[in-house]
Amino acid sequence: MGLAAPKFSLLERNPMSILYLDYCKLGSKYYDKNNRSEVDFAEVDTTLPHGWERVMDLQWCHFVNTVEEIPEQGWKIHVSACPENSAQILSEVMDYCFERGLTFKFIRSPHVLFQRNSKYGERSASGKFITIYPSEQQLDESLVALDKRLGGNVGPYILSDLRYRSGPLYVRYGGFKQMLSSDSQGNVVECIRNPMGELVPDSRTPVFRPPEWVEIPSCLTSSIAARAEA
């Protein structure tokens, strides 16, 4: 139940993946063994409430509410952060998500966060520190409550998303659960379902562009207007 951990990372099949940087020493022409000792955020080892599960992968720590099933797809909330405020932001978001029973994931270490926000980071993923999976009914309430806790904090702009008020909250319509298919070139891609129930690519380009069949929630109307003015 809840959010299943990915069996593999799509980043690992990308020849320009930032994961290669771990094995490329400065001044060397060759890849070498990774001898770096990485320290995770302390929150990775948090004692979870009853009914929650911890799932780890190379970059993310998932905290899954196994009691309440999440939708296959919808409006996900992303939270951005800088190294200086990442620990405080993570603590605030964790408290809220546990209170409301919201499944979420976060970048597991400061080093990975630094890499993803560096000039080598993938533009469509850069800035994403925490991902929250609210239901359609929880979206408005969650944005308002989290904005009260975090509004005005400095964080990278997430190019693939719509910024909520002054940030660091952003939203994007996409898959909550991993649904995979192949594109016309035979590449494995993340997917969402269209109104006919067909799997179509979950476009993750560095620009906010929700699927044309998706209705924009009323709680995002002002954010859409602010983006148009900019």
Side-chain angles (χ1 to χ4, degrees), residues 76-94:
K76 60 181 72 175
I77 300 173
H78 288 126
V79 187
S80 69
C82 296
E84 297 77 17
N85 61 8
S86 57
Q88 179 260 328
I89 285 178
L90 178 57
S91 177
E92 292 280 1
V93 173
M94 282 183 57

PDB file of all heavy atoms in Angstrom, residues 76-94:
ATOM      1  N   LYS A  76       1.269  17.192  -6.919  1.00  0.00           N
ATOM      2  CA  LYS A  76       2.248  16.970  -5.860  1.00  0.00           C
ATOM      3  C   LYS A  76       2.843  18.317  -5.433  1.00  0.00           C
ATOM      4  O   LYS A  76       2.932  19.255  -6.228  1.00  0.00           O
ATOM      5  CB  LYS A  76       3.352  16.010  -6.318  1.00  0.00           C
ATOM      6  CG  LYS A  76       4.136  16.477  -7.523  1.00  0.00           C
ATOM      7  CD  LYS A  76       5.191  15.453  -7.926  1.00  0.00           C
ATOM      8  CE  LYS A  76       4.584  14.209  -8.552  1.00  0.00           C
ATOM      9  NZ  LYS A  76       5.630  13.281  -9.053  1.00  0.00           N
ATOM     10  N   ILE A  77       3.230  18.388  -4.177  1.00  0.00           N
ATOM     11  CA  ILE A  77       3.859  19.594  -3.634  1.00  0.00           C
ATOM     12  C   ILE A  77       5.353  19.346  -3.516  1.00  0.00           C
ATOM     13  O   ILE A  77       5.788  18.354  -2.935  1.00  0.00           O
ATOM     14  CB  ILE A  77       3.282  19.944  -2.250  1.00  0.00           C
ATOM     15  CG1 ILE A  77       1.775  20.208  -2.333  1.00  0.00           C
ATOM     16  CG2 ILE A  77       3.997  21.160  -1.655  1.00  0.00           C
ATOM     17  CD1 ILE A  77       1.110  20.393  -0.981  1.00  0.00           C
ATOM     18  N   HIS A  78       6.133  20.261  -4.071  1.00  0.00           N
ATOM     19  CA  HIS A  78       7.580  20.209  -3.911  1.00  0.00           C
ATOM     20  C   HIS A  78       8.032  21.362  -3.012  1.00  0.00           C
ATOM     21  O   HIS A  78       7.473  22.454  -3.072  1.00  0.00           O
ATOM     22  CB  HIS A  78       8.287  20.332  -5.263  1.00  0.00           C
ATOM     23  CG  HIS A  78       8.165  19.122  -6.123  1.00  0.00           C
ATOM     24  ND1 HIS A  78       7.696  19.149  -7.414  1.00  0.00           N
ATOM     25  CD2 HIS A  78       8.450  17.820  -5.860  1.00  0.00           C
ATOM     26  CE1 HIS A  78       7.706  17.934  -7.925  1.00  0.00           C
ATOM     27  NE2 HIS A  78       8.160  17.113  -7.009  1.00  0.00           N
ATOM     28  N   VAL A  79       9.031  21.094  -2.206  1.00  0.00           N
ATOM     29  CA  VAL A  79       9.621  22.107  -1.327  1.00  0.00           C
ATOM     30  C   VAL A  79      11.098  22.234  -1.680  1.00  0.00           C
ATOM     31  O   VAL A  79      11.810  21.227  -1.745  1.00  0.00           O
ATOM     32  CB  VAL A  79       9.475  21.730   0.158  1.00  0.00           C
ATOM     33  CG1 VAL A  79       9.938  22.882   1.041  1.00  0.00           C
ATOM     34  CG2 VAL A  79       8.040  21.332   0.485  1.00  0.00           C
ATOM     35  N   SER A  80      11.550  23.446  -1.936  1.00  0.00           N
ATOM     36  CA  SER A  80      12.963  23.664  -2.229  1.00  0.00           C
ATOM     37  C   SER A  80      13.667  24.186  -0.978  1.00  0.00           C
ATOM     38  O   SER A  80      13.022  24.664  -0.035  1.00  0.00           O
ATOM     39  CB  SER A  80      13.135  24.641  -3.397  1.00  0.00           C
ATOM     40  OG  SER A  80      12.742  25.945  -3.034  1.00  0.00           O
ATOM     41  N   ALA A  81      14.998  24.087  -0.991  1.00  0.00           N
ATOM     42  CA  ALA A  81      15.775  24.548   0.169  1.00  0.00           C
ATOM     43  C   ALA A  81      17.216  24.762  -0.229  1.00  0.00           C
ATOM     44  O   ALA A  81      17.696  24.217  -1.226  1.00  0.00           O
ATOM     45  CB  ALA A  81      15.688  23.533   1.310  1.00  0.00           C
ATOM     46  N   CYS A  82      17.912  25.550   0.564  1.00  0.00           N
ATOM     47  CA  CYS A  82      19.348  25.759   0.433  1.00  0.00           C
ATOM     48  C   CYS A  82      20.055  24.984   1.548  1.00  0.00           C
ATOM     49  O   CYS A  82      19.417  24.589   2.531  1.00  0.00           O
ATOM     50  CB  CYS A  82      19.682  27.244   0.544  1.00  0.00           C
ATOM     51  SG  CYS A  82      18.981  28.257  -0.773  1.00  0.00           S
ATOM     52  N   PRO A  83      21.359  24.769   1.424  1.00  0.00           N
ATOM     53  CA  PRO A  83      22.066  24.057   2.497  1.00  0.00           C
ATOM     54  C   PRO A  83      21.862  24.690   3.868  1.00  0.00           C
ATOM     55  O   PRO A  83      21.770  23.991   4.879  1.00  0.00           O
ATOM     56  CB  PRO A  83      23.534  24.143   2.057  1.00  0.00           C
ATOM     57  CG  PRO A  83      23.471  24.237   0.573  1.00  0.00           C
ATOM     58  CD  PRO A  83      22.243  25.066   0.275  1.00  0.00           C
ATOM     59  N   GLU A  84      21.752  26.025   3.916  1.00  0.00           N
ATOM     60  CA  GLU A  84      21.659  26.715   5.203  1.00  0.00           C
ATOM     61  C   GLU A  84      20.325  26.502   5.913  1.00  0.00           C
ATOM     62  O   GLU A  84      20.270  26.549   7.150  1.00  0.00           O
ATOM     63  CB  GLU A  84      21.893  28.217   4.998  1.00  0.00           C
ATOM     64  CG  GLU A  84      23.265  28.599   4.478  1.00  0.00           C
ATOM     65  CD  GLU A  84      23.414  28.329   2.989  1.00  0.00           C
ATOM     66  OE1 GLU A  84      22.373  28.164   2.308  1.00  0.00           O
ATOM     67  OE2 GLU A  84      24.562  28.281   2.515  1.00  0.00           O
ATOM     68  N   ASN A  85      19.238  26.294   5.158  1.00  0.00           N
ATOM     69  CA  ASN A  85      17.931  26.170   5.813  1.00  0.00           C
ATOM     70  C   ASN A  85      17.278  24.809   5.596  1.00  0.00           C
ATOM     71  O   ASN A  85      16.128  24.596   5.989  1.00  0.00           O
ATOM     72  CB  ASN A  85      16.974  27.274   5.340  1.00  0.00           C
ATOM     73  CG  ASN A  85      16.709  27.235   3.841  1.00  0.00           C
ATOM     74  OD1 ASN A  85      17.112  26.307   3.151  1.00  0.00           O
ATOM     75  ND2 ASN A  85      16.025  28.255   3.338  1.00  0.00           N
ATOM     76  N   SER A  86      17.996  23.868   4.975  1.00  0.00           N
ATOM     77  CA  SER A  86      17.398  22.578   4.635  1.00  0.00           C
ATOM     78  C   SER A  86      16.949  21.786   5.865  1.00  0.00           C
ATOM     79  O   SER A  86      15.870  21.189   5.867  1.00  0.00           O
ATOM     80  CB  SER A  86      18.373  21.746   3.803  1.00  0.00           C
ATOM     81  OG  SER A  86      19.598  21.558   4.480  1.00  0.00           O
ATOM     82  N   ALA A  87      17.749  21.781   6.925  1.00  0.00           N
ATOM     83  CA  ALA A  87      17.400  21.009   8.120  1.00  0.00           C
ATOM     84  C   ALA A  87      16.142  21.561   8.788  1.00  0.00           C
ATOM     85  O   ALA A  87      15.257  20.798   9.211  1.00  0.00           O
ATOM     86  CB  ALA A  87      18.567  21.004   9.101  1.00  0.00           C
ATOM     87  N   GLN A  88      16.048  22.887   8.870  1.00  0.00           N
ATOM     88  CA  GLN A  88      14.877  23.512   9.497  1.00  0.00           C
ATOM     89  C   GLN A  88      13.618  23.272   8.667  1.00  0.00           C
ATOM     90  O   GLN A  88      12.546  22.960   9.203  1.00  0.00           O
ATOM     91  CB  GLN A  88      15.132  25.013   9.664  1.00  0.00           C
ATOM     92  CG  GLN A  88      13.951  25.779  10.284  1.00  0.00           C
ATOM     93  CD  GLN A  88      13.127  26.510   9.233  1.00  0.00           C
ATOM     94  OE1 GLN A  88      13.661  26.951   8.217  1.00  0.00           O
ATOM     95  NE2 GLN A  88      11.839  26.640   9.474  1.00  0.00           N
ATOM     96  N   ILE A  89      13.739  23.391   7.351  1.00  0.00           N
ATOM     97  CA  ILE A  89      12.596  23.162   6.463  1.00  0.00           C
ATOM     98  C   ILE A  89      12.144  21.705   6.548  1.00  0.00           C
ATOM     99  O   ILE A  89      10.944  21.413   6.630  1.00  0.00           O
ATOM    100  CB  ILE A  89      12.957  23.558   5.017  1.00  0.00           C
ATOM    101  CG1 ILE A  89      12.978  25.087   4.894  1.00  0.00           C
ATOM    102  CG2 ILE A  89      11.973  22.955   4.016  1.00  0.00           C
ATOM    103  CD1 ILE A  89      13.381  25.591   3.519  1.00  0.00           C
ATOM    104  N   LEU A  90      13.092  20.783   6.546  1.00  0.00           N
ATOM    105  CA  LEU A  90      12.746  19.371   6.632  1.00  0.00           C
ATOM    106  C   LEU A  90      12.012  19.056   7.925  1.00  0.00           C
ATOM    107  O   LEU A  90      11.018  18.319   7.937  1.00  0.00           O
ATOM    108  CB  LEU A  90      14.010  18.513   6.513  1.00  0.00           C
ATOM    109  CG  LEU A  90      13.823  17.008   6.624  1.00  0.00           C
ATOM    110  CD1 LEU A  90      12.841  16.495   5.584  1.00  0.00           C
ATOM    111  CD2 LEU A  90      15.184  16.298   6.470  1.00  0.00           C
ATOM    112  N   SER A  91      12.460  19.621   9.035  1.00  0.00           N
ATOM    113  CA  SER A  91      11.811  19.390  10.324  1.00  0.00           C
ATOM    114  C   SER A  91      10.362  19.884  10.320  1.00  0.00           C
ATOM    115  O   SER A  91       9.451  19.190  10.792  1.00  0.00           O
ATOM    116  CB  SER A  91      12.602  20.097  11.431  1.00  0.00           C
ATOM    117  OG  SER A  91      11.973  19.951  12.682  1.00  0.00           O
ATOM    118  N   GLU A  92      10.134  21.067   9.771  1.00  0.00           N
ATOM    119  CA  GLU A  92       8.785  21.631   9.709  1.00  0.00           C
ATOM    120  C   GLU A  92       7.865  20.776   8.839  1.00  0.00           C
ATOM    121  O   GLU A  92       6.712  20.490   9.204  1.00  0.00           O
ATOM    122  CB  GLU A  92       8.834  23.058   9.159  1.00  0.00           C
ATOM    123  CG  GLU A  92       9.497  24.075  10.067  1.00  0.00           C
ATOM    124  CD  GLU A  92       8.563  24.553  11.172  1.00  0.00           C
ATOM    125  OE1 GLU A  92       7.406  24.085  11.236  1.00  0.00           O
ATOM    126  OE2 GLU A  92       9.005  25.399  11.976  1.00  0.00           O
ATOM    127  N   VAL A  93       8.360  20.372   7.688  1.00  0.00           N
ATOM    128  CA  VAL A  93       7.544  19.576   6.769  1.00  0.00           C
ATOM    129  C   VAL A  93       7.238  18.204   7.359  1.00  0.00           C
ATOM    130  O   VAL A  93       6.114  17.705   7.256  1.00  0.00           O
ATOM    131  CB  VAL A  93       8.244  19.443   5.409  1.00  0.00           C
ATOM    132  CG1 VAL A  93       7.490  18.466   4.505  1.00  0.00           C
ATOM    133  CG2 VAL A  93       8.336  20.799   4.722  1.00  0.00           C
ATOM    134  N   MET A  94       8.216  17.585   7.990  1.00  0.00           N
ATOM    135  CA  MET A  94       7.996  16.277   8.606  1.00  0.00           C
ATOM    136  C   MET A  94       6.913  16.342   9.664  1.00  0.00           C
ATOM    137  O   MET A  94       6.019  15.487   9.708  1.00  0.00           O
ATOM    138  CB  MET A  94       9.298  15.754   9.218  1.00  0.00           C
ATOM    139  CG  MET A  94      10.265  15.184   8.222  1.00  0.00           C
ATOM    140  SD  MET A  94      11.758  14.503   9.012  1.00  0.00           S
ATOM    141  CE  MET A  94      11.043  13.300  10.118  1.00  0.00           C
TER     142      MET A  94
END
